[in-house]
Amino acid sequence: MKTSIKLPEETSWIIEESFFNPEWLGKYESIMCLGNGYMGQRATTEEQYLNEVRDTFVAGTFNKFDAKEVTELPNLPDLVQMKIKVNQESLDLTQGVISDYSRQLNLKTGELSRSFNWQTPGGADLSFHFSRFVSMDQLHVMGQKVTVKSLSGKIDVEIVSGIDGQQTNSGSQHFSEGEKHLFESRFMQMTSQTTQSAIDVVQTTVHQFSIPVERIKSRIEMRRRQIYTNYWLTLDEGEELRIEKLSTIHTSRDLEHEGRALKVIEATALSELKGAEKKGFDQLLRASAAAWERKVWRIAPIIITSSNPQDQVALNFAKYHLHVMTPAHDNRMNIGAKGLSGEGYKGHTFWDTEIFMLPYFTYTHPEIARGLLEFRYHGLHGAHRKAEGNGYEGAQFPWESAWIEDGETTPVWGAADIVTGKATKIWSGFIEQHITSDVAYGVNQYVEAVGDQHFLETKGYEIILDTAKFWASRLEWDDETQKYHINEVIGPDEYKEHVDNNAFTNYTAKWNIQKAIGIYEELEVSQPALLAQLSQKLDLERVYPEWLDKVAKLFIPQPNQELVIPQDDTYLSKKIIPLTSYKQDEQVGTLFHDYNLEQVNNMQITKQADVLLLIYLFENLFSEEVKRANWQYYEPKTMHDSSLSLSTHSALAADLGEIELSYDLFKEATNIDMGPSMTSSDEGIHAASLGGIWLMTVFGFGGVRALDGQLRINPHLPKAWQELRYSIFWHQNELEMLVTADQLIVTNKNQVSPVTFTSRGMEYTVVDSVTVSLN
């Protein structure tokens, strides 16, 4: 399939659209989105098109449209749009003649640029260049620059630009209209308020022109949910016009504005924009690029020497988006499944964070990882409310989380059933409960890698103990087996609903309870005062004996004679059908062209890694024979219809020595957003998959694991890679790994303390540098 995605070999920092196709707008709006963790902005063009989705989001500003819908990130009034007319003809690349077209996202600097020559239907020739950024240096600031040049005679130009609040989330309008102001005849400001959560949004914008103001006629307009200015001017042949549009966004949800009156926020926003205007677009862009280098690229870099240059681009692309989407500035917020790049999944947080994205931050930006886990701590009230509503104790984390006080935010109804024609009920919010142990797993992984005792004592212990308390109350006694079961759940494989004893759920619940028992017994000896404090809060003196009794009797699915671990009580008895044609289809979910979910529920078909994810996360529990037997059984039955799945399979394949298969899966995973399917990313990028690209590289080919608190480094490079250089942080030590086909060199760059690790069964201690032979 021909696409316009171009990955130039001469640079690993550029994503390019090499020709314009209006049918592919959604793809580029997502993969070229801009942001800084505070705000995210889809890469819509300045001019409007029929298929565009013009989204701007600010993290944490959730709102509920009405009682029938769940809360979602609202689409803010648009600041990007500019209506440009030349001799009364609107800029529209579906009309006239385009040449020399290029749109590029510079991953290193965060700059989105677009250039082309356009001949209007009326015959005027012009060149255009657009540049845009969302500042990584100043979280509230964004900038645009537009250059227009006449190539054939004098032309009349009309520009309409300002703030457009006539935006919706697929039809749902989340804002009440506020005040509009024009300050000093140049600074436009509009306030809006979310209808249910009552969050004030203040947007301010200003334009600067390169030609004298006397040559420009202008008129301010204030209409329903809009404030904008009309500009009229004339350009001579060969004359160039530059327009700089600088804007700021502030909200009453921002930490810095807590308790402030709206008028104070408005004044702060205007003052900041005036300061930005004095610096100008170019200086602001340079400062933002410098912040990208300082905050992202300089920290724990990854360099791949590969025969395929796209591998390095994929890593840079993943890291760029991980920082665009992550609200590092505020621990009351977390990462949405589509980041801040689209309306998919409504901006909600899933288990994707703990299992697929948190590891990147834990090992490279531990301060950000801590903030993401503090979000879970702040959400304990909602987790308690969910558990209590279901008749359980402790903390049952929501399957989908939004604002920290919202609790469960999973929609109840989803896509149509192709057989019944009715909406399908989304059971995940009710019975996909492994999220609770996933959160505990994320806490434990962070503490093991970082050694953050303060977090552990103030928040981490409580999360693990509280989630274990939930699991103990969730277990159901079975008289026939004389075991505790976990019935009526959905595991990671969401094609199997209402199953009993899902292996992933049962194993992780047991691990969660065992971890809590270990904490209780450790604190009993080392910190009895802290234990007493936690016990008073969580009633641990009563719960601890229950843990001891129930964990010993919790049913854990064991490998059968073929060493296959049953995914649940009935999976292995279900019908098997040929899946090759579905697995080879470049479109996801084509299985449901032929079957509905009820039918798939009764077949040995797995949506995404389930048992294999369990083996990947808890490899110490399973022998090599069991790992390989389950790989051979489940991999052919796994559709990878979730973007979460491929990275797990790639890393596990590397562990099993299937290096080239692992690399094939790596390439397939990197193509989810960057590949030839031009509709895969319409609703936003695949956040967990991007975290998975880092996982495949560092955990898979780099061989890094934390096993029971011990660091293991077992690298294995694919044939296409001559060298892999990456860094991680381990207990405040920055470790740089250089991997070739022959050796691993581990360098302790800051030498906070000696670090002990294992590699290929041997133990090493690195003070400054250690070389390990891989032959």
Side-chain angles (χ1 to χ4, degrees), residues 88 157-159 215-219 221 230-234:
Q88 299 300 310
V157 179
E158 179 182 353
I159 298 165
R215 291 179 52 190
I216 304 171
K217 294 181 181 179
S218 65
R219 186 178 70 229
E221 298 277 0
N230 287 281
Y231 301 96
W232 297 271
L233 54 100
T234 300

Coordinates of all heavy atoms in Angstrom, one line a residue, residues 88 157-159 215-219 221 230-234:
Q88 N -9.8 36.2 -2.8 CA -11.1 35.7 -2.5 C -11.2 34.2 -2.6 O -12.3 33.6 -2.4 CB -12.2 36.4 -3.4 CG -12.3 37.9 -3.2 CD -12.6 38.3 -1.8 OE1 -13.6 37.7 -1.2 NE2 -11.9 39.2 -1.3
V157 N -4.8 39.4 0.3 CA -4.8 38.4 1.3 C -5.8 38.7 2.4 O -5.7 39.9 2.9 CB -3.4 38.1 1.8 CG1 -3.4 37.0 2.9 CG2 -2.4 37.8 0.7
E158 N -6.6 37.8 2.8 CA -7.5 38.0 3.9 C -7.2 36.8 4.9 O -7.1 35.7 4.5 CB -8.9 37.9 3.5 CG -9.9 38.1 4.7 CD -11.4 38.0 4.3 OE1 -11.6 37.9 3.1 OE2 -12.2 37.9 5.2
I159 N -7.0 37.2 6.2 CA -6.7 36.2 7.2 C -7.7 36.3 8.4 O -8.0 37.5 8.8 CB -5.3 36.3 7.8 CG1 -4.3 36.1 6.6 CG2 -5.0 35.3 8.9 CD1 -2.9 36.5 6.9
R215 N -0.3 49.0 6.7 CA -0.7 48.3 5.5 C -1.8 47.3 5.7 O -2.2 46.6 4.8 CB 0.5 47.7 4.8 CG 1.5 48.6 4.2 CD 2.6 47.9 3.5 NE 2.2 46.9 2.6 CZ 3.0 46.0 2.1 NH1 4.3 46.0 2.4 NH2 2.6 45.1 1.2
I216 N -2.2 47.1 7.0 CA -3.1 46.1 7.4 C -4.4 46.7 7.9 O -4.4 47.5 8.8 CB -2.5 45.2 8.5 CG1 -1.2 44.6 8.0 CG2 -3.5 44.0 8.8 CD1 -0.4 43.8 9.1
K217 N -5.5 46.3 7.3 CA -6.8 46.6 7.9 C -7.3 45.5 8.8 O -7.0 44.3 8.4 CB -7.8 46.9 6.8 CG -7.5 48.1 5.9 CD -8.6 48.2 4.8 CE -8.3 49.4 3.9 NZ -9.4 49.6 2.9
S218 N -7.9 45.8 9.9 CA -8.3 44.7 10.8 C -9.6 45.0 11.4 O -10.0 46.2 11.6 CB -7.3 44.4 11.8 OG -7.1 45.6 12.7
R219 N -10.4 44.0 11.8 CA -11.6 44.2 12.6 C -11.8 43.0 13.5 O -11.7 41.9 13.1 CB -12.8 44.3 11.6 CG -14.1 44.6 12.3 CD -15.3 44.7 11.3 NE -15.7 43.4 10.7 CZ -15.8 43.2 9.4 NH1 -15.6 44.2 8.6 NH2 -16.2 42.0 9.0
E221 N -14.0 40.6 15.9 CA -15.3 40.0 15.8 C -15.5 39.1 17.1 O -14.6 38.4 17.5 CB -15.5 39.0 14.6 CG -15.4 39.8 13.3 CD -16.7 40.4 12.9 OE1 -17.7 40.3 13.6 OE2 -16.7 41.1 11.8
N230 N -10.4 39.8 11.8 CA -10.2 39.7 10.3 C -9.0 40.7 9.9 O -9.0 41.8 10.4 CB -11.5 40.2 9.6 CG -12.6 39.2 9.7 OD1 -12.6 38.2 8.9 ND2 -13.5 39.4 10.6
Y231 N -8.1 40.2 9.1 CA -7.0 41.0 8.6 C -7.1 41.1 7.1 O -7.3 40.0 6.4 CB -5.7 40.5 9.1 CG -5.5 40.4 10.6 CD1 -5.7 39.1 11.2 CD2 -5.1 41.4 11.3 CE1 -5.6 39.0 12.6 CE2 -4.9 41.3 12.7 CZ -5.1 40.1 13.3 OH -5.0 40.0 14.7
W232 N -6.9 42.3 6.5 CA -6.8 42.4 5.0 C -5.5 43.1 4.7 O -5.2 44.1 5.3 CB -8.0 43.2 4.5 CG -9.4 42.6 4.7 CD1 -10.0 41.7 3.9 CD2 -10.2 42.8 5.9 NE1 -11.2 41.4 4.4 CE2 -11.4 42.0 5.6 CE3 -10.2 43.6 7.0 CZ2 -12.5 42.0 6.5 CZ3 -11.2 43.6 7.9 CH2 -12.3 42.8 7.7
L233 N -4.9 42.6 3.6 CA -3.6 43.3 3.2 C -3.3 42.9 1.8 O -4.0 42.0 1.2 CB -2.4 42.9 4.1 CG -2.2 41.4 4.3 CD1 -1.1 40.9 3.4 CD2 -1.9 41.1 5.8
T234 N -2.4 43.6 1.1 CA -2.0 43.3 -0.2 C -0.5 43.0 -0.3 O 0.3 43.7 0.4 CB -2.3 44.5 -1.1 OG1 -3.7 44.7 -1.1 CG2 -1.9 44.2 -2.6

